Amino acid sequence: MEKIELLEESKRCLKCKNHPCQKSCPIGTRIPEIIDMFQKGEELEAGKILFENNPMSLVCSLICPFEKQCMGSCVRGIKGESVNFPAIENYLMEKYLKETEFQNVSNNKKVAVVGGGPGGLSGAFYLSKKGYDVTVYDDHERMGGMLRYGIPSFRLSKDKVDLLERKAFESGIKFKENTTFSEESLKNLKTEKNYHGVLVSTGAWLPKELNIDGVERENVYYGIDYLKDNVDLGSGKKVVVIGAGNVAMDVARTAKRQGNDVLIAYRKKLEFAPATKVEINEAIEDGVRFLTEVTPIRITDKGIMLEDNNTKNQFLYECDNVIISVSQKSQFNVENLDGYFYGGDLVTGPETVVKASLTGKESAKLLDDYLARKE
């Protein structure tokens, strides 16, 4: 939307006294205040408030489950269309990040952030602004984590992630790419590298396994690996995706874009799917088909055996590939170690970007408070 359209959209905001939109935002974005500032032309000031509240605001404005949060609580939405605040937020954030030069100050203390995804970056931005010398460690080549390697480009353009990465470097944040840790080496990081504190926000990159026969076959993938590794299935294949969360929708839509016939098989009715209605509808618009109330039994050389949950009848659905996307888990555990703090999916389990940003920032605050007490 153009600025003039956004201004017209902003006029639809009723400036409700109780701010239901703000209350439904996991990170408490001050929506009515931001809209008021936008209308007054205070765009950079509004962008600064958005960024300091949520360093991932640029991407959250594109991929948050709005129907369950701000837009879902908008009074305008009761009898019509909710105010499209995410579009206003995205405009303000892009302007702020492109037109504001970030400063690098120093308090002579250095900290490590393990994990360069939304939780880690949110914490890194907060700590950098507090004057810490921040080094982010990640097992990928670039910053962004799930934003860069787990969310398809048709949902989140990578130039948005590139912009956040540039601002991180501009803030003085250092990046150690292709770095992996064991439980033991992570515990030793603080003392071996003389860090004053460590924030661990490594996300949920390990797929939750499906315990059925045949998962070891070459034509079977786990959803998060399929996305991360940019697996090309080829075209003209019959593909079954097991699961109905947002990652499963990303997987199915990616496979469809590769030119394949894609079916999502889900154990419950579609109304109970973890994915948002928007994601489900977009998958349907892309041509993804759904088969609900079925349970996977085993994977064979011809396809996948499914059981009808109502009749208990089993049947073979012939396909070329099966992609399992039934959730993820984290590599590390939260431990009570001196000077270590934890955020992101490591704390919450697989969650939204906005919640990863919230926990990353909150953990960074705890780390800052901890070091202030030690002075």
Side-chain angles (χ1 to χ4, degrees), residues 77 217 364:
R217 291 179 174 272

Side-chain angles (χ1 to χ4, degrees), residues 62-64 151-157 246 250 253 279 282:
L62 296 171
I63 60 173
C64 259
I151 299 177
S153 295
F154 60 81
R155 274 227 299 139
L156 178 63
S157 174
N246 285 336
D250 286 345
R253 296 177 69 194
E279 281 287 290
E282 288 179 344

Side-chain angles (χ1 to χ4, degrees), residues 23-62:
K23 290 179 180 177
S24 67
C25 175
I27 205 164
T29 301
R30 289 145 54 184
I31 295 173
E33 180 183 346
I34 295 297
I35 287 178
D36 188 58
M37 294 177 73
F38 175 52
Q39 292 171 343
K40 292 177 179 177
E42 300 169 355
E43 296 178 359
L44 293 181
E45 296 90 335
K48 181 179 181 182
I49 291 173
L50 283 168
F51 184 81
E52 291 184 352
N53 177 65
N54 176 13
M56 297 298 107
S57 187
L58 177 68
V59 293
C60 287
S61 61
L62 296 171

Side-chain angles (χ1 to χ4, degrees), residues 141-210:
E141 291 184 357
R142 301 278 300 276
M143 288 186 188
M146 200 67 71
L147 302 176
R148 186 180 295 281
Y149 298 100
I151 299 177
S153 295
F154 60 81
R155 274 227 299 139
L156 178 63
S157 174
K158 296 304 176 275
D159 65 340
K160 310 296 183 184
V161 189
D162 293 343
L163 178 55
L164 285 173
E165 183 181 58
R166 290 200 301 274
K167 301 312 285 188
F169 287 132
E170 191 177 289
S171 301
I173 296 170
K174 302 178 182 67
F175 185 62
K176 298 288 186 181
E177 77 277 10
N178 299 322
T179 305
T180 58
F181 290 93
S182 64
E183 289 280 359
E184 194 63 27
S185 62
L186 182 60
K187 291 178 184 177
N188 294 331
L189 176 63
K190 179 172 173 283
T191 53
E192 285 188 355
K193 299 292 184 179
N194 294 314
Y195 287 114
H196 292 86
V198 178
L199 170 60
V200 185
S201 183
T202 47
W205 285 98
L206 298 181
K208 185 178 179 182
E209 298 176 355
L210 190 62

Side-chain angles (χ1 to χ4, degrees), residues 3 6 11 24 38 47 56-57 64 73 84 95 101 126 142 158 165 208 212 229 235 242-243 263 292 323 343:
K3 179 180 176 180
L6 294 173
K11 293 175 184 176
S24 67
F38 175 52
M56 297 298 107
S57 187
C64 259
S73 299
N84 190 352
K95 182 179 180 66
E101 183 178 353
Y126 178 88
R142 301 278 300 276
K158 296 304 176 275
E165 183 181 58
K208 185 178 179 182
I212 61 173
D229 298 336
S235 61
I242 305 298
L263 174 82
T292 59
I323 306 178

